[in-house]
Amino acid sequence: MVLDSGGAPRREAEIGPGELAWSFNHLDPAVAETAYETMGRIRRGCPVARSGELDGFVLVTGYDEIREAAQASDRFSAYVDGLGAAAVVTEMREAVAPMFETDDDHHHQWRRTLMDFFTPAAAAAQDQYVRAICRETLQEMIPRGAADLVSGYTRQVPPLVIGRMLGLAELERAWLSEHVRALYSAETLLEAQQIGRVYADFLLGQIRERRARPGRDLLSCMVAAEVDGRIANEEELVKMTMLMVAAGHLTTADACATAVLQLLENPALRERVTALPVLLEPFVEELVRHEPAVAATGRTVTTHTHLGGLTLEPGDRLLLAWGSANRDERRFDDGDVFRLDRDRSRTPHLGWGSGEHRCLGRHLARVELRVMLDELLRAIPDFQLQPHATVRRTFGVIRGVATLPVQWSRR
Ligand code: HEM
């Protein structure tokens, strides 16, 4: 919040883009409702600007500037302290997660090692499993006539899918699903720390089990991978697994919730995709452009350089606001508008990232989102927001919706 010299808050319209950027903190819950309006004003004035929040960082909101920073790994490292994706894993701050937080050849080797689990064919092979758990979840829900679709549906399915990829048995998947939901909705730091410790111990047990008895799953592959002549230690593996679980479920769960909200707010669009489910494919892609679930991640400057006219020094931290890039008026016409028929061939959106760390799970995410929405629209075609329900958007590393209290006619 910006105050005038007398200490009174000023309206956003009275504040210049540089000043708006200076007080911008993507983790402040107050940012969520107007995140894109605020970032739009900042972007049009200064697409690379300094913020004084969170010990100081550089907010990058322009398309070209974000793409440049994501692609120039010789100037910008994926390792960043306290900003971006790894900040969702507070339990293991000291360890460096292989792949996610590493650069260059070390990073390439890791990606190549895991690639087979993330091909379009591997993603398509999850279709039936995703469909089965969607149906099971919805069948239990239907007789109730009302539910919060976030806790009851969008956050139920993705943890089971990533758990299965990691090679967890059915009961362990259910355990994981329950604990990550509790962890990421904990109301106090103490509660989060307690759940975090139990969760880290669980993952450590799984890692040790895979070392002793390797399977053909993603976790066994991570545990056995030899990169630069060594295998990752237990601390690195726990952090990497936590990030993999977070990448694999927070994103898809929140993207699905945002998609449902988009359908609730846009009845004509909802009618079109319900009548013609094949349209869910372009719908998901436009959703990831318009409101990418990964809203902002970080980089660290490694050499004296410039970006968008700003001089940067080693150690400066950048925040790449992917969703703002996707609305940059220099690249997209009416970027703020959700358009199912948008021509995507001219400018690729950056909702899946760009450069060497571009989303490894994008094919899987597309399958999960398409199937989750398809099954929901088939099972409960008439769901509506409950009267007087308030819907609160969230923003931070991840963009989503806190709750979606809906009701439908009981059959
Ligand atoms: C709508 C859903 C999703 C969105 C919008 C999304 C977006 C992104 C973005 C923007 C990045 C790049 C971050 C950066 O460069 O700083 C990324 C990386 C990554 N994503 Fe996703 N993601 C989604 C779902 C998934 C899923 C389901 C998985 C499955 C595990 C996944 C796995 C990963 C991994 C492993 C990386 C890191 C790749 C690397 O460091 O080389 N993502 N994602």
Side-chain angles (χ1 to χ4, degrees):
M1 180 180 297
V2 177
L3 305 178
D4 70 11
S5 52
R10 281 195 279 144
R11 285 188 313 117
E12 219 170 68
E14 298 166 358
I15 304 164
E19 241 183 308
L20 262 184
W22 182 252
S23 60
F24 187 85
N25 172 359
H26 64 307
L27 303 179
D28 177 352
V31 161
E33 282 311 323
T34 52
Y36 285 112
E37 289 91 321
T38 308
M39 285 192 293
R41 284 197 58 209
I42 295 172
R43 183 181 65 234
R44 286 185 285 278
C46 30
V48 182
R50 289 197 186 271
S51 167
E53 296 289 313
L54 303 168
D55 297 330
F57 65 94
V58 175
L59 174 64
V60 192
T61 48
Y63 182 96
D64 292 331
E65 295 79 4
I66 289 180
R67 205 173 53 165
E68 179 180 337
Q71 294 190 353
S73 60
D74 55 332
R75 296 187 284 146
F76 305 102
S77 168
Y79 179 80
V80 58
D81 189 16
L83 271 191
V88 299
V89 174
T90 46
E91 298 80 7
M92 306 289 298
R93 198 149 167 189
E94 267 73 56
V96 173
M99 188 175 75
F100 289 92
E101 297 185 282
T102 63
D103 304 307
D104 305 326
D105 191 46
H106 188 262
H107 169 255
H108 297 167
Q109 287 183 50
W110 267 103
R111 257 185 98 109
R112 269 200 304 275
T113 305
L114 304 188
M115 195 57 98
D116 284 352
F117 292 90
F118 293 100
T119 59
Q126 296 287 349
D127 184 302
Q128 288 310 309
Y129 176 68
V130 179
R131 214 169 273 287
I133 48 179
C134 287
R135 284 184 185 165
E136 197 179 309
T137 311
L138 289 163
Q139 283 314 311
E140 267 177 35
M141 198 190 277
I142 286 172
R144 282 186 258 144
D148 167 23
L149 280 183
V150 173
S151 60
Y153 186 61
T154 74
R155 290 192 182 159
Q156 293 285 337
V157 177
L160 298 174
V161 179
I162 190 70
R164 184 178 189 237
M165 285 181 69
L166 290 170
L168 302 186
E170 207 171 322
L171 281 178
E172 293 166 340
R173 276 176 235 160
W175 189 97
L176 178 85
S177 175
E178 198 182 306
H179 280 75
V180 292
R181 259 193 312 282
L183 177 63
Y184 291 109
S185 56
E187 285 185 1
T188 63
L189 183 63
L190 185 67
E191 192 191 345
Q193 281 168 341
Q194 282 166 347
I195 304 168
R197 266 195 297 276
V198 178
Y199 175 39
D201 283 348
F202 168 79
L203 293 180
L204 190 57
Q206 292 292 327
I207 286 163
R208 289 182 177 160
E209 214 175 293
R210 297 303 188 288
R211 277 223 206 286
R213 279 176 295 281
R216 295 154 71 91
D217 53 82
L218 177 60
L219 187 55
S220 295
C221 179
M222 283 158 52
V223 166
E226 203 177 312
V227 169
D228 287 345
R230 75 169 183 95
I231 52 171
N233 66 37
E234 287 183 341
E235 254 204 319
E236 291 166 332
L237 283 168
V238 170
K239 187 173 186 188
M240 185 185 189
T241 313
M242 281 183 169
L243 271 175
M244 191 60 87
V245 173
H249 91 280
L250 290 176
T251 51
T252 325
D254 271 347
C256 189
T258 305
V260 172
L261 186 58
Q262 182 63 242
L263 294 173
L264 282 164
E265 286 174 347
N266 195 335
L269 178 66
R270 176 174 176 171
E271 216 170 282
R272 277 184 78 190
V273 298
T274 307
L276 210 54
V278 69
L279 291 177
L280 283 170
E281 222 168 282
F283 173 84
V284 165
E285 215 51 43
E286 175 64 353
L287 181 90
V288 177
R289 182 200 67 80
H290 188 245
E291 297 261 21
V294 175
T297 59
R299 295 290 186 273
T300 303
V301 178
T302 55
T303 181
H304 172 84
T305 188
H306 302 275
L307 185 69
L310 198 71
T311 304
L312 302 171
E313 299 300 339
D316 278 348
R317 298 178 308 159
L318 307 185
L319 187 75
L320 310 184
W322 303 104
S324 169
N326 290 344
R327 294 170 181 229
D328 190 332
E329 33 293 293
R330 294 171 297 174
R331 289 283 176 177
F332 298 92
D333 296 332
D334 298 330
D336 288 324
V337 181
F338 189 105
R339 223 186 257 156
L340 187 59
D341 309 315
R342 185 177 287 277
D343 173 10
R344 289 195 304 275
S345 60
R346 208 160 49 107
T347 309
H349 71 71
L350 303 186
W352 304 111
S354 178
E356 292 165 2
H357 289 270
R358 186 166 185 231
C359 181
L360 192 59
R362 63 191 183 281
H363 305 299
L364 175 65
R366 286 179 178 127
V367 169
E368 284 187 68
L369 287 169
R370 179 175 46 72
V371 172
M372 285 169 77
L373 292 167
D374 186 25
E375 290 298 328
L376 175 68
L377 290 169
R378 281 176 204 275
I380 319 178
D382 61 338
F383 68 83
Q384 292 299 341
L385 272 183
Q386 289 172 21
H388 315 300
T390 47
V391 172
R392 188 170 55 81
R393 303 287 202 121
T394 57
F395 193 86
V397 179
I398 307 284
R399 167 67 154 177
V401 183
T403 54
L404 280 173
V406 300
Q407 61 185 33
W408 55 89
S409 58
R410 269 189 252 203
R411 273 146 283 153

